């Protein structure tokens, strides 16, 4: 055996061994229980970072552990490969996005293989391949047929200088990230998916997500945002028109002193006298840092008290929520309060704290005549509210809503914050939306037999002028599928969240020949095979691993897509992910690792210097997976030293280990040291298993293995049976290490003469009886005199021994009120408690 641990030699060796034998390739096997383990697939930006290492190491431990437990494990990997960075690279480096993307995929795939990850690469998908995005287009057409996809006008971020639409993340302090020009709101025709049709089901489904972190479930619920309230009609003075508002606080109706429209409201253009000022408000649409408004010159009538109040257009009123119009109650809404103070509008308090008795409530002013310093947003007692004065807010909400319905002034409604999903992107590197526009036939979906609509190659990337697809005549001009006349294609591409909303289903159907099963399943001349056997076997994902930054949109869209695909008759399940683990970030120098901060650690450097096993071990040991990991060079060195200690333990006993069989039975004639090693081994198997099963606390599992190695190093076997104990300990240590550091485990396992490889061995089991701590008699003295005896576990830490002795009822009685000066522990078997006045 080599004298030194050399990961640069052994790691490529075992990676080649696994790959040549397709060790991790998985097929459906009805005789075995399945386990679908999935980490969120990466964007191929060029190189993996330490966040990737941590994410994929976590998933790999789970996959390897479940495989050793006998599960049929599906553990795939692919590439979320559409998106803006590829277009930016095309502009900057004059290289086609496809070339840039596939070169990055090749490099990053090599990096992942160096980490020894147990992926079934035959199932690899890249969302930018026509083979994949064909099905994005197929799903879109099916949604269009079912009324779940539609087109409407919507405001977007528009840069006049670049003549292009910007994503929200490209707008920095109201300016274009590329040219620094002021960004304005522009109305464009956009495609939407009707996710709101599933709002209630998505919300109620949150209660079934018992395997998800509570904070993520709460974020999902809050994003969907169910609220009970009322829609109320305010009549516009002088014209035959009502403005319908939505409010969750009908108890504050008497406090409405003005009404605000969204800049996108249908009446905004009609009522605004100054169109230039209206455009200024639109330029600030949706921005919460500044309240910008415009008085229209119009007034409306509050139906509860017939008061005439002014109508404003305000940047903070979203067309996407409620009705696009709100009644403004500045005394009881902080946003309205700030707006009212800025524009000199009245503030009327109609709810006071419950401590103010109705007899002392003022009419038409603030409690005790004092002006509010901020909005009073709590519930309380109504004042100046007509017949409803004196009611508690909770009661008033119901009674006022009933009153509105009885008088025909409004109605009770349930509303959601969730808005339909706008998927139109004015970019090139994305899935073409499969729609054709014909002057005679209108909007016509591309025929299924003509899918995929492929991205053309003859495009120029300038970063200006909207989508490059508009400049490709060969792509733009086509024939109408209905009438055969001249028509044009949609030049918008899909939001890349579409790509990642169903990729886990593609993995189930993918094989080395591509998505052939999908081709068979979704033939044009036949409906999808109901509950396809592969999908029925593999879905849902049993364990999903990824960053908490995806806690809302990606997960919500995946839940939505899964339900749509269910309703198409393709799968049975409603929820895509049974269990979710959101790992923390990798932190260095007090900040998340990023190039801009100059605190990035290159995984290639780490692997080349220490090996991938050390990289994996450190990322798993430094913190529980859900916590942020603080980078530590010393921690990396410590992980490397530990693996060298494991190597040395096996090296020390190599010849005897090859000749010795593990201890099978009998512990009576073992020495105390041998029994301690055997007991520690069974305890470690129990501990590691429990820590993996319970919240994947790999850090404490690794700590337990480190303790076992310490126990082994301190033991010298005296005879053949004690050598069998060492053999048992070493064999099980290597199997426990196998999911965490697979290369060194395989190498040492093979060096010990085992015919099977460690990765294919069953997971170790422990004997509960042997794992029990031995008991010894503890002698308790007080000021040197024997005062009692206790039976305690052998090996109990000194602090625990002290605690047990001081809690003994007889000792407590003897000490009484005397002060304890010190407690002396002698070899864990004797405690002397020194007391005195």
């Amino acid at each position: 055996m080599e004298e030194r641990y050399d990961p640069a030699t052994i790691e490529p060796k075992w990676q080649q061994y696994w790959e040549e034998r397709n060790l991790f390739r998985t097929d459906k096997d009805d005789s075995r229980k399945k386990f679908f383990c999935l980490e969120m697939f990466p964007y191929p930006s060029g190189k993996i970072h330490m966040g990737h290492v941590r994410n994929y190491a976590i998933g790999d431990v789970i996959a390897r552990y479940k495989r050793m437990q006998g599960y049929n494990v599906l553990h795939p990997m692919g590439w979320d490969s559409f998106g803006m960075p590829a277009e930016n690279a095309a502009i900057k480096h004059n290289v086609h996005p496809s070339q840039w993307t596939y070169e990055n995929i090749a490099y990053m795939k090599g990096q992942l293989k160096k980490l020894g990850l147990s992926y079934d690469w035959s199932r690899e998908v890249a969302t930018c391949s026509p083979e994949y995005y064909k099905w994005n287009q197929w799903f879109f057409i099916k949604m269009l047929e079912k009324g779940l996809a539609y087109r409407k006008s919507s405001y977007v971020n528009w840069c006049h200088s670049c003549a292009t639409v910007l994503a929200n993340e490209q707008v920095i302090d109201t300016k274009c990230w590329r040219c620094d020009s002021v960004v304005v709101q522009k109305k464009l025709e956009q495609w939407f998916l009707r996710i709101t049709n599933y709002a209630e089901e998505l919300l109620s489904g949150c209660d079934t997500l018992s395997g998800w972190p509570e904070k993520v479930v709460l974020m999902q619920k809050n994003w969907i945002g169910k609220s009970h309230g009322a829609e109320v009609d305010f009549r516009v003075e002088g014209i035959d028109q009502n403005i319908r508002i939505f409010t969750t606080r009908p108890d504050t109706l008497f406090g409405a002193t003005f009404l605000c429209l969204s800049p996108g409201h249908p009446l905004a253009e009609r009522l605004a006298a100054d169109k230039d000022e209206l455009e200024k408000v639109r330029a600030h649409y949706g921005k919460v840092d500044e309240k910008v408004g415009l008085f229209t010159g119009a007034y409306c009538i509050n139906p509860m008290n017939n008061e005439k109040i002014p109508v404003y257009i305000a940047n903070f009123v979203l067309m996407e929520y409620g009705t696009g119009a709100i009644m403004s109650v500045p005394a009881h809404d902080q946003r309205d309060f700030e707006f009212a103070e800025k524009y000199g509008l009245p503030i009327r308090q109609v709810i006071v704290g419950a401590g103010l008795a109705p007899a002392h409530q003022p009419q038409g002013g603030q409690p005790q005549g004092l002006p509010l310093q901020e909005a009073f947003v709590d519930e309380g007692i109504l004042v100046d509210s007509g017949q409803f004065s004196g009611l508690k807010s909770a009661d008033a909400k119901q009674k006022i809503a009933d009153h509105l319905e009885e008088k025909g002034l409004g109605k009770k409604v349930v509303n959601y914050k969730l808005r339909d999903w706008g998927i139109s992107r004015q970019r090139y590197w994305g899935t073409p939306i499969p729609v054709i526009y014909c002057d005679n036939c209108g909007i016509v979906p591309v025929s299924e037999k003509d899918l995929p609509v492929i991205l053309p190659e003859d495009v120029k990337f300038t970063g200006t002028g909207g989508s490059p697809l508009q400049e490709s005549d060969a792509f733009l001009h086509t024939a109408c599928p209905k009438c055969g006349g001249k028509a044009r294609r949609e030049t918008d591409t899909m939001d890349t969240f579409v790509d990642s909303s169903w990729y886990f289903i593609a993995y189930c159907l993918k094989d080395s020949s591509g998505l052939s099963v999908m081709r068979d399943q979704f033939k044009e001349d036949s409906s999808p095979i109901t509950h396809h056997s592969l999908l029925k076997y593999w879905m849902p994902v049993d364990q999903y691993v990824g960053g908490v930054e995806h806690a809302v949109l990606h997960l919500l869209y995946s839940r939505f897509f899964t339900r749509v695909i269910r309703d198409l008759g393709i799968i049975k399940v409603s929820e895509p992910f049974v269990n979710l683990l959101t790992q923390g970030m990798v932190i260095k120098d007090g900040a998340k690792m990023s190039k801009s901060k100059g605190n990035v650690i290159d995984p290639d450097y780490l692997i080349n210097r220490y090996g991938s096993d050390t990289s994996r071990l450190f990322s798993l040991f430094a913190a529980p997976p859900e916590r942020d990991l603080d980078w530590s060079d010393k921690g990396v060195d410590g992980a490397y030293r530990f693996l060298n200690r494991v190597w040395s333990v096996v090296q020390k006993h190599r010849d005897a280990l090859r000749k010795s069989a593990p201890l099978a039975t009998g512990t009576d004639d073992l020495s105390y040291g041998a029994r301690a090693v055997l007991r520690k081994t069974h305890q470690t198997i129990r501990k590691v298993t429990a820590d993996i099963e319970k919240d994947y606390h790999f850090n404490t599992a690794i700590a337990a293995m480190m303790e076992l190695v310490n126990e082994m190093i301190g033991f010298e076997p005296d005879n053949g049976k004690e050598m069998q104990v060492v053999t048992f300990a070493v064999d099980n240590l290597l199997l426990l290490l196998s999911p965490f550091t697979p290369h060194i485990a395989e190498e040492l396992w093979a060096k010990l003469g085992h015919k099977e490889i460690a990765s294919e061995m069953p997971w170790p089991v422990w004997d509960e009886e042997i794992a029990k701590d031995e008991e010894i008699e503890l002698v308790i003295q007080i000021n040197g005199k024997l005062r009692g005896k206790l039976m305690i576990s052998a090996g109990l830490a000194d602090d625990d021994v002290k605690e047990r002795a001081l809690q003994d009822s007889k000792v407590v009685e003897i000490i009484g009120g005397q002060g304890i000066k010190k407690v002396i522990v002698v070899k864990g078997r004797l405690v002397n408690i020194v007391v005195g006045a």
Side-chain angles (χ1 to χ4, degrees), residues 818-837:
Q818 300 179 79
I820 299 174
K821 292 184 175 181
K822 58 182 175 180
V823 180
I824 303 166
V825 180
V826 181
K827 295 183 179 180
R829 293 175 175 270
L830 182 145
V831 172
N832 184 24
I833 304 168
V834 180
V835 300

Side-chain angles (χ1 to χ4, degrees), residues 606-802:
L606 208 61
I607 292 171
N608 291 336
R609 179 170 180 178
Y610 294 101
S612 65
D613 279 343
T614 294
S615 306
R616 290 167 60 119
L617 189 70
F618 168 73
S619 68
L620 295 165
F621 178 59
E626 72 278 6
R627 300 275 189 87
D628 289 345
L629 182 156
D630 284 319
W631 179 265
S632 165
D633 292 334
K634 291 182 178 179
V636 177
D637 287 334
Y640 183 66
R641 287 196 303 271
F642 169 68
L643 293 181
N644 273 280
R645 294 179 79 197
V646 172
W647 186 273
S648 298
V649 166
V650 179
Q651 170 81 4
K652 176 180 178 181
H653 299 291
R654 65 187 185 278
D655 295 332
L657 287 169
R658 289 180 63 88
K659 298 174 184 177
S660 174
L663 182 69
T665 59
T667 61
D668 294 340
D669 53 347
L670 292 175
S671 66
Y672 176 82
R675 292 200 310 274
V677 171
L678 184 62
R679 181 170 57 253
K680 192 67 173 179
T681 304
H682 282 275
Q683 290 174 342
T684 304
I685 298 170
R686 181 178 63 189
K687 173 66 173 171
V688 173
T689 305
D691 285 346
I692 295 177
E693 290 287 347
K694 187 179 183 299
D695 300 327
Y696 300 126
H697 280 180
F698 305 127
N699 57 321
T700 52
I702 293 169
M705 289 186 274
M706 290 177 172
E707 290 179 10
L708 175 59
V709 171
N710 290 338
E711 191 82 40
M712 293 163 63
I713 288 174
F715 174 66
E716 289 293 338
D718 286 337
N719 53 54
K721 192 167 185 178
E722 291 191 349
M723 192 65 230
Q724 288 182 310
V725 170
V726 174
T727 304
F728 179 82
V730 168
D731 280 0
N732 282 283
L733 172 67
L734 296 179
L735 294 180
L736 294 176
L737 278 172
S738 180
F740 298 84
T741 55
H743 307 89
I744 190 173
E746 293 283 21
E747 181 71 11
L748 293 176
W749 184 260
K751 293 296 185 184
L752 293 180
H754 295 289
K755 294 180 180 179
E756 307 89 347
I757 64 170
S759 298
E760 294 190 319
M761 293 297 294
W763 185 252
V765 294
W766 71 93
D767 185 313
E768 193 63 48
E769 285 299 316
I770 299 177
K772 288 181 180 178
D773 283 319
E774 290 185 0
E775 289 193 328
I776 60 171
E777 186 178 65
L778 176 68
V779 174
I780 303 175
Q781 294 179 343
I782 298 177
N783 290 339
K785 295 183 179 180
L786 178 64
R787 295 299 187 184
K789 295 180 180 179
L790 284 177
M791 298 302 297
I792 63 169
S793 297
L796 204 61
D798 284 358
D799 286 343
D800 295 326
V801 172
K802 290 179 185 179

Side-chain angles (χ1 to χ4, degrees), residues 7-27:
T9 300
I10 67 172
E11 290 182 351
K13 165 188 169 182
W14 286 104
Q15 290 159 14
Q16 181 180 355
Y17 181 95
W18 297 326
E19 186 169 356
E20 288 177 349
R21 288 159 180 78
N22 292 317
L23 196 67
F24 307 118
R25 182 163 179 173
T26 311
D27 295 309

Side-chain angles (χ1 to χ4, degrees), residues 392-421:
K392 293 180 179 178
S393 293
D395 297 331
K397 286 180 183 179
Q398 185 65 39
K399 289 184 181 296
I400 291 176
D402 291 340
H403 174 81
L404 291 168
E405 289 192 330
E406 290 170 7
K407 300 297 183 181
L409 302 173
K411 61 180 181 179
K412 300 174 189 174
V413 295
V414 174
N415 217 327
Y416 299 88
K417 287 184 187 176
L418 180 66
R419 298 295 86 196
D420 283 339
W421 176 9

Side-chain angles (χ1 to χ4, degrees), residues 90-155:
I91 296 166
K92 184 177 181 180
H93 303 295
N94 194 29
V95 60
H96 194 277
S98 177
Q99 178 184 341
W100 184 85
T101 299
Y102 280 106
E103 286 177 356
N104 288 349
I105 286 175
Y107 188 84
M108 291 175 69
K109 184 175 180 179
Q111 288 183 298
L112 295 184
K113 287 188 174 183
K114 284 183 179 180
L115 285 170
L117 303 168
S118 59
Y119 292 134
D120 180 353
W121 285 107
S122 72
R123 296 178 182 268
E124 179 183 11
V125 298
T127 61
C128 65
S129 69
E131 173 193 51
Y132 185 92
Y133 67 71
K134 168 182 179 178
W135 301 108
N136 284 350
Q137 296 169 345
W138 188 87
F139 287 131
F140 177 88
I141 290 171
K142 293 303 174 186
M143 291 189 198
L144 190 62
E145 291 172 357
K146 291 183 171 292
L148 292 173
Y150 66 96
R151 193 169 183 248
K152 72 169 184 178
S153 293
S154 177
Y155 282 98

Side-chain angles (χ1 to χ4, degrees), residues 478-551:
T478 187
C480 173
K482 276 190 176 180
C483 70
K486 291 183 178 180
R488 62 181 178 83
R489 292 189 188 278
E490 172 63 75
T491 57
D492 286 353
T493 54
M494 295 185 194
D495 179 8
T496 54
F497 272 119
V498 172
D499 309 334
S500 59
S501 293
W502 68 277
Y503 76 109
F504 40 88
I505 290 175
Y507 284 140
C508 299
L509 301 172
K510 181 77 161 56
D511 61 21
S512 57
S513 62
L515 289 169
S516 57
V517 179
M518 293 185 72
R519 288 196 294 272
D520 295 339
Q521 182 174 355
F522 305 140
K523 289 179 180 176
E524 184 193 14
D525 58 355
S526 64
S527 59
I529 300 170
T530 302
H531 308 145
H532 192 284
S533 61
L534 287 174
L535 294 173
K536 185 177 180 181
Y537 179 76
W538 288 117
M539 285 295 293
V541 176
D542 296 283
Q543 182 64 61
Y544 200 31
V545 182
V548 74
E549 65 270 20
H550 301 294

